[in-house]
Amino acid sequence: MKITKFIVILIAVSLLTSCAGKREINDLAIVLAVGIDKGEKQKFKVTVEVVRASDARGQTGSPAGNAGDPMWIASAEGDSIFEAIRNISTYSSRRVFWAHNYVIVVNEELAEKEGIKDIIDFFTRNPELRMRTWIVATPDKAGEVVSTQTGLEVIPGEALSKLFRYNPISAVSPRTQIRDVHTAYLSESSDPIMARVKLQERVVPNKADGGGGGGEKPPGGEEKGKGEPSIKQIEMSGTTVFKKDKMVGTLSKKETRGLLPFIENVGTAIIPLTCPGKEKEKITVEVKKNKVEVLPFIKDNAPFYKINLSLTTNVVEANCDFDIDDRKMIDEIERNLEKKYKGYIKSALEKGQKEYKADIFELGKTFENKYPEKWKSFRENWDEKYAAAKFDINVKAEVQSGVLLYTPTQPGSRGK
Amino acid sequence: MKEKITNGMLIALIINMIYPKSIGVSQGVMAREIGSDIWLATIFSCVQALIIMAIVVTIVKNLPKEPVFTGKLKLFINGLKRLIYILLFIFFIVAFGDIMLIFVYHLRDYFLPEAPVWVFVLLGTLIGMYAIFHGIEVSGRLALLGVIFVVLFNILLLLGSLKQFDIRELQPIFNSGVGKTYWASRHMLTDWAAPIMVTIILISDVNKIEFVRKSTIIGVLFATGIMVIWPILEVGVLSAEITAQFIVSCMQMARNAEIGLFIHRYEMIMVAFFSFSIFTQIITTLYCASYSAKKIFNLDDYRKMIIPSAIILSGYSLWLLKDHHHAMHITENQRVTVGLSLLFIVPLLFFILGFIYKWKSSKTA
């Protein structure tokens, strides 16, 4: 009996060391962002942004370690994404580790010519990656995007992630994660979209060029205008539209506003409107809630959609005299907002349906849910049916409050 | 070493014997057949399992005391009993392979891709051997813990996924037709065969046998409740297409869950909870196989059959898991044929045995 126990303990001790497949943290190159471009010699060029943990602790521009940059940028080409990554490992001293990757940046030229099938496949097949990783497209070099320090963060990948985390505030790009793109790609009716980001020169007014109060020129900066220094920053810039896996076009920021209610809950979009009766003055409303209802019907053997969008808003800034008690003025603001949103939706639908012929609004799915039998005959030639679909767009806006103020902000009555 | 289990332990064992396989691999298999209707197929299978469980428990529980047989009839009865336990042993070999598939594909594919399959099979089997050496109560106690952890697992998953849930993905219901949905439920019903067969073996070890039918019904209903959440979430969060694409769809769900900003990638925590259930399955199946082997060879103690059973069961598992295609092909096809056939044949043979016992007793009286 004692011998049996001894043998069991001996086997357990030798097998339960937890050494199988171990990965020491100091052997890992922790990727925080990856950029995928079209290669010059081979199909893909993969650029990874690897964090240098010891140098990434301090404030922006003042890393705590001594080695310098808080990140290490590495890139390599390959005929497949995996090959490109393996080629990085030919000169990386550590093993590339994906589990903490924040964002995948895809170059639009690559997305247009080669498609994103390989990208979806690689990033969903790999067990290290999260399915909630952000995925974006860019007209710039993806490698440049992932290596550009932007916003307040030391690590560009983290900055990009935070850009998405707080993007409902601006509501100019969808919040696309690899799971969404994967779902849309596998769907028989819907087509994928990706948030679009681009590098934008931003003037830094408090930093003079070449010393004198401002200090040194910011990294990556370029002179613009009268010696004003500027740096490239990453900014949200609408939506990239795909037909199956190939990029077919983009939606502008305004068109994206028309798309967003179909696919996600728009948090707090800010819409500037003309003041009722005062063309030159502006009144700004913030969309607090939105609810979209897409009702499919069949008309002349083609789909017909009734789109009902209801918006709940607050007036957050008024250049003109805005009084929450003034029903007539509120009605006019509401009509203006309805007209504006109807325009956004119309232009988004127009582009998606007519120009790109891509069902990015999940209209096929909505139709299938209501008419499962009819869908069986529509699914084969859904592209044609979708192109022939007609829409009736109804927007109902409601201004609910003027936030803290009750009466208009106007000069005092002294001297009148 | 206690050889008895409480009715609560039996309930817990039923839940643990069905949960790990049914929430992921089987949902993926069904999604490949019927798409978004997998939650309906799950409910179909649970209703069928409830009926079969009630019938089986009634047959086995009411098996009359064996009368004295002589001559050819004695040989026939001994042969029939041996056949029943041979079939049960075959069933547990197949069931063990299934459990190892779950164990290996969860841990190896998602966490330790470089570790060899034999390490998982060997470790699982060794732990199972050690546990059953100390009696079936070990498995019963672990099953109680397993239930607590699978409930926690479900709560964690709900917290991390509900925000992404889209009910439109579940529509239209019965998209593939009622008949096809019902037919797809065979995969889940094969999973249900494991707790039903385990109940056949353990029924005589339950403390209060008079309440055993009630206990098994509670077990099936409770398991249905915590299980059916999964296909609903898998379709509503991932979509039927993604559920169908992956071998282990539940891991894809776990990989997708996120609570707030700071708790993501907590599938390791979820798998830790889940592992209690898997170990309960390993231990219980090994026990049932050893018990069946004891009956085949007419031995007095199942412990003598632990090592031979473990060798056969783990050998089959290693053969099954030699590659993904081989394992999944057998899981989707041959396993269903063998599992469902035995699910109906074994209770039928018990019924015939009971009928002969009753006939002989009345004749003797």
Side-chain angles (χ1 to χ4, degrees), chain A residues 1 5 8 11-12 15-16 20-23 95 98-100 121 123-132 165-166 175 177 179-180 182-183 186-188 262 361-362 365-366 368-370 372-373 375-376 379, chain B residues 1 36 109-116 118-119 122-123 126-127 130 133-134 160-161 163-164 166-172 175-176 236-239 241-242 245-246 252 255-258 261-262 264-265 267:
Chain A
M1 201 61 194
K5 274 189 180 173
V8 168
I11 294 170
L15 287 175
L16 299 175
K22 75 174 171 66
R23 290 171 197 181
R95 184 193 166 131
W98 294 100
H100 297 276
D121 185 89
F123 287 101
T124 52
R125 200 182 283 273
N126 186 332
E128 280 178 11
L129 270 139
R130 301 173 204 170
M131 292 301 284
R132 305 281 280 264
R165 199 186 294 168
Y166 302 116
R175 307 174 85 216
Q177 296 174 333
R179 183 183 64 92
D180 305 314
H182 188 204
T183 308
L186 292 182
S187 161
E188 63 176 350
F262 289 88
F361 308 92
E362 298 178 356
K365 178 78 196 152
T366 316
E368 185 194 0
N369 286 354
K370 192 172 173 194
E373 283 308 309
W375 173 254
K376 283 171 190 163
R379 65 153 45 115
Chain B
M1 287 182 208
S36 60
D109 287 7
Y110 283 84
F111 300 104
L112 299 162
E114 279 133 43
W118 66 264
V119 170
L122 182 66
L123 270 177
L126 282 177
I127 290 169
Y130 181 69
F133 185 79
H134 292 278
S161 318
K163 216 175 154 189
Q164 310 282 320
D166 183 358
I167 198 153
R168 292 178 306 165
E169 294 290 343
L170 269 71
Q171 297 168 317
N175 198 24
S176 12
V237 175
L238 296 178
S239 83
E241 289 86 359
I242 293 187
Q245 207 192 4
F246 287 86
Q252 203 52 27
R255 214 176 140 197
N256 193 60
E258 195 173 88
L261 285 179
F262 302 107
H264 45 69
R265 288 314 298 257
E267 66 251 39

Side-chain angles (χ1 to χ4, degrees), chain B residues 66-79 356-357 359-361 363-364:
Chain B
E66 189 180 340
V68 180
F69 292 103
T70 49
K72 282 181 181 173
L73 198 58
K74 190 180 178 181
L75 281 175
F76 173 73
I77 291 296
N78 284 345
I356 298 171
Y357 282 1
W359 166 77
K360 178 72 181 167
S361 300
K363 211 178 158 193
T364 318

Side-chain angles (χ1 to χ4, degrees), chain A residues 106-146:
Chain A
V106 182
N107 173 257
E108 284 183 352
E109 190 196 346
L110 172 81
E112 196 177 354
K113 289 182 180 158
E114 305 288 346
I116 53 166
K117 191 180 168 189
D118 308 52
I119 297 169
I120 297 172
D121 185 89
F122 174 77
F123 287 101
T124 52
R125 200 182 283 273
N126 186 332
E128 280 178 11
L129 270 139
R130 301 173 204 170
M131 292 301 284
R132 305 281 280 264
T133 307
W134 304 111
I135 181 161
V136 301
T138 179
D140 302 296
K141 289 280 169 207
E144 197 184 342
V145 171
V146 297

Side-chain angles (χ1 to χ4, degrees), chain B residues 182-305:
Chain B
Y182 175 77
W183 176 239
S185 72
R186 71 189 186 283
H187 296 287
M188 276 283 294
L189 190 60
T190 313
D191 296 344
W192 271 112
I196 293 171
M197 296 298 202
V198 165
T199 308
I200 291 176
I201 298 281
L202 297 183
I203 205 160
S204 55
D205 297 332
V206 180
N207 274 343
K208 291 177 182 169
I209 199 160
E210 63 275 22
F211 298 124
V212 83
R213 190 159 61 187
K214 200 175 165 188
S215 306
T216 51
I217 288 171
I218 292 171
V220 174
L221 290 176
F222 194 99
T224 304
I226 57 169
M227 219 164 57
V228 81
I229 294 170
W230 281 85
I232 293 174
L233 283 177
E234 277 159 354
V235 175
V237 175
L238 296 178
S239 83
E241 289 86 359
I242 293 187
T243 307
Q245 207 192 4
F246 287 86
I247 292 175
V248 188
S249 330
C250 60
M251 276 309 288
Q252 203 52 27
M253 271 301 292
R255 214 176 140 197
N256 193 60
E258 195 173 88
I259 303 175
L261 285 179
F262 302 107
I263 309 174
H264 45 69
R265 288 314 298 257
Y266 60 97
E267 66 251 39
M268 184 68 104
I269 300 169
M270 292 202 263
V271 162
F273 287 167
F274 185 67
S275 60
F276 278 82
S277 215
I278 295 188
F279 279 119
T280 306
Q281 282 197 324
I282 292 172
I283 296 164
T284 311
T285 312
L286 196 52
Y287 171 82
C288 291
S290 308
Y291 184 88
S292 304
K294 174 196 106 168
K295 288 280 190 182
I296 294 166
F297 295 103
N298 218 4
L299 302 172
D300 53 347
D301 192 352
Y302 72 90
R303 287 178 186 83
K304 289 174 184 164
M305 294 312 292

